[in-house]
């Protein structure tokens, strides 16, 4: 019997046949790993053909009725046994050699629940995206700056019930659960993930419902939000964020407008670059025949 690899890669797929092959190709030559593709009720004929081809090549494909991203990922968790788990969206790709450094970081720091690297956006536009230096129990209640494609210690994931939300912010909810328990995260410098930016991507719909889902997060993690003042004293967030986030939180604004201000204060240059590139992409799409 072959030993279980130290990490598992979970790739949920819902009508992602166009991009799924690229995601899987980025796993070639990586650290040995368990791989499972979870078909979350795809109906697109092209996607179904791609999934059938993958099964013919020996890739493990789990099929289920559409239940959302969290349920698909958890089906992948149940189908694997490796101590570390990395979810990879079917429209993103990993940089060469990205799995080993993240797993090494968790090997070195037994107290860390999650490890992540830097992110490069591609697709509608290209941009290097700054991420958090650590899992900060204060700033995570305002803003999520950890990539969803992070390597997670299986025991920690299962201890908090795994991914649970269905309609967005699944990862933010998980990081809050970790922070609520005082668990650490490790940032491993290096552009390990290429995140495909598409105007129709699920995140766009999530942002439109930010206030509703964020309110749900507050109800799910009352202890973490109640500790805000105490965690502020221990936070290593940028000084500007520590000074202005509480002031922004007191303004008579919608949760979405506050979020935009948090993003502006936290990474002003990145916010400006993202805004400029997004508007340029929108103009190009509007001008396309």
């Amino acid at each position: 019997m072959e030993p279980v690899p130290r990490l598992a890669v979970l790739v949920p797929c819902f009508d992602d046949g166009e991009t799924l092959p690229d995601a899987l190709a980025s796993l070639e030559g990586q650290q040995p790993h368990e791989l499972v593709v979870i078909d979350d009720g795809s109906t697109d004929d092209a996607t179904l053909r791609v999934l059938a081809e993958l099964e013919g090549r020996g890739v493990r494909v789990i099929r289920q009725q559409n239940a959302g991203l969290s349920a698909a990922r958890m089906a992948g968790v149940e189908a694997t046994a490796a101590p570390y788990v990395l979810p990879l969206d079917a429209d993103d790709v990993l940089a060469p050699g990205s799995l080993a450094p993240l797993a090494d970081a968790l090997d070195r720091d037994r107290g860390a629940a999650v490890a992540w690297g830097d992110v490069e956006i591609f697709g509608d536009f290209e941009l290097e995206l700054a991420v958090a230096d650590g899992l900060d129990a204060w700033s995570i209640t305002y803003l999520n700056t950890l990539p969803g494609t992070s390597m997670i210690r299986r025991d920690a994931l299962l201890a908090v019930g795994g991914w649970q939300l269905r309609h967005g912010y699944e990862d933010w909810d998980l990081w809050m659960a970790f922070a609520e328990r005082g668990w650490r995260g490790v940032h491993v410098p290096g552009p390990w993930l290429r995140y495909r930016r598409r105007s129709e991507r699920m995140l766009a719909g999530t942002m439109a419902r930010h206030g509703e889902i964020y309110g749900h997060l507050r109800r799910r993690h009352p202890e973490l939000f109640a500790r805000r003042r105490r965690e502020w004293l221990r936070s290593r967030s940028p000084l500007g964020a520590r000074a202005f986030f509480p002031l922004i939180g007191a303004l008579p604004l919608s949760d979405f407008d506050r979020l935009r201000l948090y993003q502006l204060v936290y990474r002003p240059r990145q916010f400006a670059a993202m805004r400029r590139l997004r508007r340029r992409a929108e103009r190009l799409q509007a001008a396309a025949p």
Side-chain angles (χ1 to χ4, degrees), residues 92-107:
D92 294 337
V93 296
L94 296 177
S98 58
L99 292 181
L102 297 176
D104 291 344
L106 292 180
D107 282 348

Side-chain angles (χ1 to χ4, degrees), residues 275-289:
R275 188 180 182 89
R276 183 179 67 254
L277 292 169
R278 185 173 60 245
R279 286 181 172 177
R280 180 185 177 188
E282 290 171 352
R283 288 196 301 268
L284 291 174
Q285 289 171 3

